[in-house]
Structure formats: structure tokens, C-alpha cells
Amino acid sequence: MDASTVTVVVWNIEADGGRNGERRDVAFDVLAALNPDVVLQQEAKHSRERGARLLHAAERRLGLRGFLAAPNPGVDADIATAVYLRPGMFHVAEQKPRAKPWWLHPCHVQAHLGDCPVPLNLVSFHMCSFDADQRLTEAGWMTTLAGPGMVTIAAGDTNSYPRRAEPIALPTWKNVTDRAHMVQRTYVDTEGIRRSDTRPDGVLIEAGYVDLARHAADHLDGIGMEALAATAGFDKPHQAGPQRIDRGYGAGGAASALEHVEVINDKDVRAASDHAPVVYRFHRARLERVLTHAPYALCAA
């Protein structure tokens, strides 16, 4: 652990590395090498089973304290999201059991960084994979954590695309052979034209969130367009190929403390998951200033 930084890793670990850990050891070797202070995990599919055995194994492996989203028995599979935090660095104020209006429940933990008076909202989310309107609703819920006085870092699998043009072009849908995927990742506009779903990103940006990777590419020296690298779709040409669907957002000044963003995409990552982890490093002293001087407002959501 580098005491001068706060390292946040966001990763959709495919099917939680397998019920019996087929790929889990590889995934957590990758995470351990990154030495994170916060992990925001998606597809924690098996971490609730058998007395949360996999959750506790991850806690021991990473030296972090883990939290899971509220159970979700109303869907076909209870695919949880998870937040892991470094004890001692963070003091948990509250875990909020979020459910409606999400298809897959987000994990939302409020924690204090050291002695900072303003709590930091940490949210691991996994937006709906099959319904653009549901994703839009989920993005709307996220705006409740971007109000005055709130400081939030929220990240996960958006199953949708950035609104601004990027080095990776949006899919050309007429060439995509998986037509069900095409429908799932698009919406029909008021003129009846089917378009790539960038609306969740637009909602979040308009509500005051900052796309942390875009911020790094635009404003941090030595980062460049590599921060906007693809995070999923690597072996899926039938679904339009690689895209940056795993994204992190900051609200309430969190982006001002950002100092590095990196997408990790190597052979070990590919062996563990169909998504790449994204690493966000924050300058701790600057983040502490944000969490000391922000005029804190109670979250009414």
C-alpha cells in the first residue's frame, strides 16, 4: 500500500471466476499485484453462497473488507456486485441496501477516508444488459448521489457507450451479426432510427459526474488516449468487438484528486475474465481535501 495514494480497481470478473474457483485464483493474483485500496467488482455471482465463502476468501487474499449488494431473488440469477475496502484507511459509516429500480442491485457503501468528515459514496454497479430504457432509469438513480455536498466514486459495467467521440468508434450495427445484441445495446429515437445507447453516460455527465478516464485523457500529463482503451468485447466480433463499456465516474470533486488511469489487458486478465480491470489512482491528500471541505448534504435517496 502506498500511503500517498488511494487505488481503486473496477473489474467485472466473469461469473465470479467460477463457482469452484476455476479462474478465481488468476483473477485475484491480478488484483493482489495491483495492491488496491478499493475494489468495485461486478458479477460476484457466487460470493454469497456457502456462507459467503468466496467473499471471505477474497478478503483474506487482498487484505480488504468486503460487502455485497442486497440479495436479488426476483431475477433469473442473483448476480451480486461487491465493494471491498482497506480497513484502517476507510471507516465504514453505512452500507445502503439498494434495490429498486435496478435489474442487478448495486453495492453502495458510505465510508470515511481517515478522519475526513465528509463520507465518500462508493458504488459498484452493473447496468441492465438487455434493456436500454432500464439502463436509462438506473443512470437516473445514480444522479441521487451527485447532489450538492456529496462526493461519489461509482463504477462498473454500463453495457452502453460513451457519448463523446473516442478513439474506438461506436459500432456499425448493420454489420453486427448478433442481432439480439444489437437490439440490447441500442434504442430507437423519436424519428424511429436505432442508435447506439449512449444515454446513460449523457445522463451522468449532465448530472455533474465526471468520466474519470476521459478526464485523465484530457487533463493528466502522460496518460493520453490509452485511458480510453477498450474494456470488453475482445473476442466477440459478432457483437461489434472491443468497446469501453466499463467506466468509472466521480462527483463532488473526486476527479480533482485523480492522478492516473490504466486499463490492464494482458494474458492473465484474459485468462480470468472477458472484461479488463480499470485502475484509478487518486492522490490521497487531494482527495482528503475534497472530503474535508465539501459542504456535506445528507443523502435522501
Side-chain angles (χ1 to χ4, degrees):
M1 178 181 66
D2 182 347
S4 68
T5 65
V6 178
T7 299
V8 179
V9 179
V10 181
W11 198 4
N12 182 335
I13 302 175
E14 184 181 12
D16 215 4
R19 174 174 275 115
N20 297 313
E22 296 89 344
R23 290 166 282 106
R24 194 174 177 84
D25 287 343
V26 177
F28 280 86
D29 284 347
V30 170
L31 284 173
L34 296 171
N35 198 21
D37 302 301
V38 178
V39 175
L40 305 178
Q41 182 197 349
Q42 296 76 55
E43 291 200 26
K45 185 175 182 178
H46 305 297
S47 289
R48 208 188 308 279
E49 299 171 359
R50 293 174 283 184
R53 182 177 65 86
L54 293 183
L55 175 81
H56 298 316
E59 290 177 319
R60 292 190 296 271
R61 179 74 176 87
L62 300 175
L64 306 178
R65 180 184 176 191
F67 302 84
L68 292 174
N72 196 5
V75 297
D76 295 337
D78 183 11
I79 303 176
T81 53
V83 172
Y84 293 87
L85 302 176
R86 185 171 297 284
M89 177 180 281
F90 289 97
H91 308 285
V92 174
E94 185 177 5
Q95 180 183 12
K96 293 180 175 287
R98 303 304 190 180
K100 292 180 180 180
W102 291 80
W103 175 251
L104 299 177
H105 296 166
C107 187
H108 174 201
V109 177
Q110 276 191 343
H112 291 274
L113 175 60
D115 295 326
C116 296
V118 178
L120 176 63
N121 292 293
L122 292 160
V123 184
S124 175
F125 65 81
H126 194 164
M127 290 186 176
C128 184
S129 64
F130 61 84
D131 187 335
D133 288 338
Q134 174 66 25
R135 289 192 293 270
L136 190 61
T137 298
E138 292 166 350
W141 177 89
M142 292 276 291
T143 67
T144 66
L145 299 180
M150 294 182 182
V151 183
T152 299
I153 297 173
D157 182 348
T158 70
N159 277 308
S160 55
Y161 308 102
R163 182 173 63 175
R164 281 182 58 185
E166 298 203 345
I168 302 171
L170 292 174
T172 302
W173 292 111
K174 67 180 181 181
N175 298 332
V176 172
T177 58
D178 186 338
R179 303 311 285 170
H181 182 81
M182 179 276 295
V183 169
Q184 292 161 3
R185 289 285 182 87
T186 60
Y187 70 97
V188 178
D189 70 11
T190 56
E191 298 177 351
I193 299 172
R194 190 168 288 279
R195 300 190 183 278
S196 297
D197 187 18
T198 64
R199 296 182 303 172
D201 180 66
V203 165
L204 296 177
I205 299 304
E206 290 168 9
Y209 279 98
V210 174
D211 178 337
L212 296 171
R214 167 56 73 177
H215 177 82
D218 289 347
H219 301 293
L220 298 184
D221 292 339
I223 303 296
M225 293 298 106
E226 291 183 3
L228 305 179
T231 64
F234 305 110
D235 300 316
K236 298 178 179 179
H238 60 296
Q239 294 184 346
Q243 292 285 334
R244 189 171 74 95
I245 65 170
D246 303 271
R247 298 192 296 278
Y249 295 87
S256 67
L258 187 67
E259 59 181 11
H260 185 76
V261 175
E262 183 178 4
V263 179
I264 308 296
N265 187 10
D266 57 24
K267 63 180 179 62
D268 290 333
V269 166
R270 294 289 188 93
S273 181
D274 57 349
H275 289 245
V278 187
V279 182
Y280 303 91
R281 298 193 193 280
F282 296 85
H283 189 282
R284 179 168 177 170
R286 291 203 296 267
L287 187 56
E288 286 174 339
R289 283 197 290 272
V290 170
L291 293 168
T292 299
H293 300 297
Y296 178 51
L298 291 174
C299 176

PDB file of all heavy atoms in Angstrom, residues 173-180 182 237-240:
ATOM      1  N   TRP A 173     -23.899  -0.964 -36.688  1.00  0.00           N
ATOM      2  CA  TRP A 173     -24.819  -2.047 -36.327  1.00  0.00           C
ATOM      3  C   TRP A 173     -25.276  -2.895 -37.500  1.00  0.00           C
ATOM      4  O   TRP A 173     -25.596  -4.064 -37.323  1.00  0.00           O
ATOM      5  CB  TRP A 173     -26.011  -1.461 -35.559  1.00  0.00           C
ATOM      6  CG  TRP A 173     -25.595  -0.950 -34.217  1.00  0.00           C
ATOM      7  CD1 TRP A 173     -25.543   0.345 -33.810  1.00  0.00           C
ATOM      8  CD2 TRP A 173     -25.127  -1.730 -33.121  1.00  0.00           C
ATOM      9  NE1 TRP A 173     -25.079   0.429 -32.525  1.00  0.00           N
ATOM     10  CE2 TRP A 173     -24.815  -0.824 -32.071  1.00  0.00           C
ATOM     11  CE3 TRP A 173     -24.934  -3.091 -32.907  1.00  0.00           C
ATOM     12  CZ2 TRP A 173     -24.332  -1.255 -30.839  1.00  0.00           C
ATOM     13  CZ3 TRP A 173     -24.451  -3.513 -31.688  1.00  0.00           C
ATOM     14  CH2 TRP A 173     -24.155  -2.611 -30.672  1.00  0.00           C
ATOM     15  N   LYS A 174     -25.277  -2.344 -38.687  1.00  0.00           N
ATOM     16  CA  LYS A 174     -25.692  -3.146 -39.844  1.00  0.00           C
ATOM     17  C   LYS A 174     -24.733  -4.299 -40.101  1.00  0.00           C
ATOM     18  O   LYS A 174     -25.104  -5.290 -40.763  1.00  0.00           O
ATOM     19  CB  LYS A 174     -25.820  -2.269 -41.083  1.00  0.00           C
ATOM     20  CG  LYS A 174     -24.503  -1.699 -41.585  1.00  0.00           C
ATOM     21  CD  LYS A 174     -24.714  -0.843 -42.819  1.00  0.00           C
ATOM     22  CE  LYS A 174     -23.381  -0.286 -43.336  1.00  0.00           C
ATOM     23  NZ  LYS A 174     -23.589   0.568 -44.537  1.00  0.00           N
ATOM     24  N   ASN A 175     -23.503  -4.202 -39.558  1.00  0.00           N
ATOM     25  CA  ASN A 175     -22.508  -5.244 -39.754  1.00  0.00           C
ATOM     26  C   ASN A 175     -22.443  -6.241 -38.599  1.00  0.00           C
ATOM     27  O   ASN A 175     -21.641  -7.179 -38.645  1.00  0.00           O
ATOM     28  CB  ASN A 175     -21.124  -4.621 -39.941  1.00  0.00           C
ATOM     29  CG  ASN A 175     -21.052  -3.732 -41.171  1.00  0.00           C
ATOM     30  OD1 ASN A 175     -21.782  -3.952 -42.146  1.00  0.00           O
ATOM     31  ND2 ASN A 175     -20.188  -2.733 -41.137  1.00  0.00           N
ATOM     32  N   VAL A 176     -23.255  -6.017 -37.576  1.00  0.00           N
ATOM     33  CA  VAL A 176     -23.214  -6.878 -36.391  1.00  0.00           C
ATOM     34  C   VAL A 176     -24.152  -8.058 -36.603  1.00  0.00           C
ATOM     35  O   VAL A 176     -25.358  -7.881 -36.819  1.00  0.00           O
ATOM     36  CB  VAL A 176     -23.603  -6.077 -35.132  1.00  0.00           C
ATOM     37  CG1 VAL A 176     -23.753  -6.982 -33.933  1.00  0.00           C
ATOM     38  CG2 VAL A 176     -22.563  -4.996 -34.876  1.00  0.00           C
ATOM     39  N   THR A 177     -23.590  -9.255 -36.539  1.00  0.00           N
ATOM     40  CA  THR A 177     -24.386 -10.448 -36.852  1.00  0.00           C
ATOM     41  C   THR A 177     -25.260 -10.904 -35.691  1.00  0.00           C
ATOM     42  O   THR A 177     -26.257 -11.588 -35.915  1.00  0.00           O
ATOM     43  CB  THR A 177     -23.463 -11.600 -37.285  1.00  0.00           C
ATOM     44  OG1 THR A 177     -22.513 -11.872 -36.240  1.00  0.00           O
ATOM     45  CG2 THR A 177     -22.718 -11.241 -38.563  1.00  0.00           C
ATOM     46  N   ASP A 178     -24.888 -10.564 -34.457  1.00  0.00           N
ATOM     47  CA  ASP A 178     -25.722 -10.905 -33.303  1.00  0.00           C
ATOM     48  C   ASP A 178     -26.807  -9.838 -33.190  1.00  0.00           C
ATOM     49  O   ASP A 178     -26.629  -8.800 -32.556  1.00  0.00           O
ATOM     50  CB  ASP A 178     -24.871 -10.958 -32.036  1.00  0.00           C
ATOM     51  CG  ASP A 178     -25.645 -11.451 -30.814  1.00  0.00           C
ATOM     52  OD1 ASP A 178     -26.886 -11.359 -30.818  1.00  0.00           O
ATOM     53  OD2 ASP A 178     -24.996 -11.908 -29.850  1.00  0.00           O
ATOM     54  N   ARG A 179     -27.946 -10.116 -33.807  1.00  0.00           N
ATOM     55  CA  ARG A 179     -28.995  -9.097 -33.883  1.00  0.00           C
ATOM     56  C   ARG A 179     -29.673  -8.862 -32.536  1.00  0.00           C
ATOM     57  O   ARG A 179     -30.149  -7.757 -32.259  1.00  0.00           O
ATOM     58  CB  ARG A 179     -30.036  -9.493 -34.943  1.00  0.00           C
ATOM     59  CG  ARG A 179     -29.445  -9.726 -36.337  1.00  0.00           C
ATOM     60  CD  ARG A 179     -28.523  -8.592 -36.763  1.00  0.00           C
ATOM     61  NE  ARG A 179     -29.278  -7.384 -37.143  1.00  0.00           N
ATOM     62  CZ  ARG A 179     -28.702  -6.206 -37.358  1.00  0.00           C
ATOM     63  NH1 ARG A 179     -27.402  -6.047 -37.183  1.00  0.00           N
ATOM     64  NH2 ARG A 179     -29.432  -5.177 -37.721  1.00  0.00           N
ATOM     65  N   ALA A 180     -29.703  -9.883 -31.692  1.00  0.00           N
ATOM     66  CA  ALA A 180     -30.256  -9.670 -30.353  1.00  0.00           C
ATOM     67  C   ALA A 180     -29.378  -8.686 -29.582  1.00  0.00           C
ATOM     68  O   ALA A 180     -29.878  -7.777 -28.905  1.00  0.00           O
ATOM     69  CB  ALA A 180     -30.358 -10.998 -29.614  1.00  0.00           C
ATOM     70  N   MET A 182     -27.533  -6.400 -30.878  1.00  0.00           N
ATOM     71  CA  MET A 182     -27.763  -5.093 -31.489  1.00  0.00           C
ATOM     72  C   MET A 182     -28.961  -4.408 -30.843  1.00  0.00           C
ATOM     73  O   MET A 182     -28.897  -3.221 -30.485  1.00  0.00           O
ATOM     74  CB  MET A 182     -27.978  -5.260 -32.992  1.00  0.00           C
ATOM     75  CG  MET A 182     -28.244  -3.964 -33.758  1.00  0.00           C
ATOM     76  SD  MET A 182     -29.989  -3.434 -33.742  1.00  0.00           S
ATOM     77  CE  MET A 182     -30.742  -4.775 -34.670  1.00  0.00           C
ATOM     78  N   PRO A 237     -16.405 -10.467 -32.169  1.00  0.00           N
ATOM     79  CA  PRO A 237     -16.660  -9.655 -33.365  1.00  0.00           C
ATOM     80  C   PRO A 237     -18.122  -9.668 -33.783  1.00  0.00           C
ATOM     81  O   PRO A 237     -18.600  -8.708 -34.395  1.00  0.00           O
ATOM     82  CB  PRO A 237     -15.767 -10.308 -34.422  1.00  0.00           C
ATOM     83  CG  PRO A 237     -15.531 -11.704 -33.917  1.00  0.00           C
ATOM     84  CD  PRO A 237     -15.485 -11.584 -32.433  1.00  0.00           C
ATOM     85  N   HIS A 238     -18.839 -10.741 -33.429  1.00  0.00           N
ATOM     86  CA  HIS A 238     -20.259 -10.822 -33.765  1.00  0.00           C
ATOM     87  C   HIS A 238     -21.092  -9.839 -32.950  1.00  0.00           C
ATOM     88  O   HIS A 238     -22.265  -9.604 -33.256  1.00  0.00           O
ATOM     89  CB  HIS A 238     -20.771 -12.251 -33.535  1.00  0.00           C
ATOM     90  CG  HIS A 238     -20.627 -12.732 -32.121  1.00  0.00           C
ATOM     91  ND1 HIS A 238     -19.412 -12.896 -31.507  1.00  0.00           N
ATOM     92  CD2 HIS A 238     -21.571 -13.082 -31.203  1.00  0.00           C
ATOM     93  CE1 HIS A 238     -19.589 -13.323 -30.275  1.00  0.00           C
ATOM     94  NE2 HIS A 238     -20.889 -13.439 -30.067  1.00  0.00           N
ATOM     95  N   GLN A 239     -20.472  -9.252 -31.892  1.00  0.00           N
ATOM     96  CA  GLN A 239     -21.159  -8.252 -31.071  1.00  0.00           C
ATOM     97  C   GLN A 239     -20.482  -6.880 -31.175  1.00  0.00           C
ATOM     98  O   GLN A 239     -20.559  -6.068 -30.259  1.00  0.00           O
ATOM     99  CB  GLN A 239     -21.197  -8.711 -29.612  1.00  0.00           C
ATOM    100  CG  GLN A 239     -22.056  -9.949 -29.402  1.00  0.00           C
ATOM    101  CD  GLN A 239     -22.175 -10.343 -27.949  1.00  0.00           C
ATOM    102  OE1 GLN A 239     -21.426  -9.870 -27.084  1.00  0.00           O
ATOM    103  NE2 GLN A 239     -23.116 -11.218 -27.647  1.00  0.00           N
ATOM    104  N   ALA A 240     -19.819  -6.643 -32.282  1.00  0.00           N
ATOM    105  CA  ALA A 240     -19.204  -5.344 -32.611  1.00  0.00           C
ATOM    106  C   ALA A 240     -17.798  -5.174 -32.062  1.00  0.00           C
ATOM    107  O   ALA A 240     -17.193  -4.124 -32.237  1.00  0.00           O
ATOM    108  CB  ALA A 240     -20.078  -4.174 -32.176  1.00  0.00           C
TER     109      ALA A 240
END
